[in-house]
Amino acid sequence: MMKALVTNDFSTSSDADATRWQGRALLRPGVLAFEGPVWPTEIHAHHAVQIVAADTPIVVVDGGGVRRNGAHIVVPTDAPHRVAEGAAHGIAVYLDPETVAGAAADRRAHLHGWVHSLAVDPAHGELTDHVTDLLADLLRDDPQAGQGDRHGVVTAALQLLPEMVQDGSVRGSDVARQLGISATRLTHLFTEQVGIPLRRYILWLRLHIAMTRVLAGDDVSTASYAAGFTDDAHLIRTCRRTFGLPPSMMGTHVDWDISL
């Protein structure tokens, strides 16, 4: 796991910590995942629900000093925490709490505690498979999630959004207008069938575009503007608030899978 930047008025660690991390990483709408060593961190907090699965037990300490020891740990949204003892190998998965899977993970952490047994074994298989298995495990909490044929207007929205986001600022009402449907109806269908609210999907698309541009050689300022962020400071704030990590996590020293 990449050394996390500390946010929400806690003490901070250097952005250089992120550039030292090497391993594999994956980005999908609502999901950011890393595979590699699990390093100790300073206390920090982020909006994404974080799941850490390691090949040996790790120790995570919350903001009140309570220690959790286990190979699988779920940190709920916005919870101050630090990794006190890491592991040689593991995965860290950040889930948007407004997705079906993220909400399920957050609910499990609150109802059953942070230490869990999850359907993922980081010692075997590829990162993509680990994420797929983890999401399938979480989605069992909501048997209706993703069932049924996708409405044509949702499919059309998914096709339109990447180009619309690259062209500049876009809102759900802009997408609905293009598709000839009310914004309320589109928002309901999109959330129900994609598993993430439309406005959050647009934000993750912006992160995807920014990362794609950085990996192609753009500096952060150019990538931020191309992705529809106001400036590089806007992108930095978004990364830190969401993941507790700086945009330097996008560095080319990480083997990225960023297909949509």
Side-chain angles (χ1 to χ4, degrees), residues 17 43 51 129 131 226:
D17 289 339
I43 191 166
I51 298 174
D129 297 330
V131 172

Side-chain angles (χ1 to χ4, degrees), residues 127-231:
L127 180 59
T128 303
D129 297 330
H130 296 325
V131 172
T132 299
D133 291 344
L134 178 60
L135 294 179
D137 184 344
L138 293 169
L139 292 176
R140 278 195 285 270
D141 291 359
D142 185 354
Q144 302 303 314
Q147 290 191 0
D149 294 332
R150 183 167 285 172
H151 195 288
V153 75
V154 174
T155 300
L158 290 169
Q159 294 170 342
L160 280 173
L161 278 167
E163 184 175 348
M164 292 182 70
V165 169
Q166 289 187 76
D167 286 343
S169 178
V170 57
R171 297 172 298 179
S173 57
D174 300 325
V175 184
R177 190 177 304 111
Q178 287 232 28
L179 297 174
I181 189 174
S182 73
T184 301
R185 178 63 173 159
L186 176 61
T187 298
H188 173 76
L189 286 171
F190 197 95
T191 303
E192 179 181 65
Q193 298 185 5
V194 182
I196 180 173
L198 179 58
R199 60 182 179 79
R200 297 297 295 177
Y201 187 90
I202 291 171
L203 174 63
W204 281 82
L205 269 186
R206 294 198 191 288
L207 291 170
H208 179 273
I209 292 168
M211 187 169 295
T212 301
R213 297 293 293 259
V214 168
L215 294 177
D218 284 353
D219 58 34
V220 172
S221 294
T222 302
S224 301
Y225 183 77
F229 291 98
T230 307
D231 51 26

Side-chain angles (χ1 to χ4, degrees), residues 74 157 246:
V74 181

Side-chain angles (χ1 to χ4, degrees), residues 3-59:
K3 269 196 173 183
L5 185 78
V6 182
T7 59
N8 295 356
D9 297 323
F10 295 97
S11 60
T12 60
S13 60
S14 171
D15 283 12
D17 289 339
T19 63
R20 292 171 49 205
W21 190 87
Q22 294 184 359
R24 290 179 291 177
L26 172 150
L27 179 70
R28 299 285 188 275
V31 182
L32 174 67
F34 297 101
E35 181 173 15
V38 180
W39 298 107
T41 69
E42 301 293 336
I43 191 166
H44 64 288
H46 42 69
H47 191 54
V49 181
Q50 183 179 1
I51 298 174
V52 182
D55 52 5
T56 57
I58 65 171
V59 176

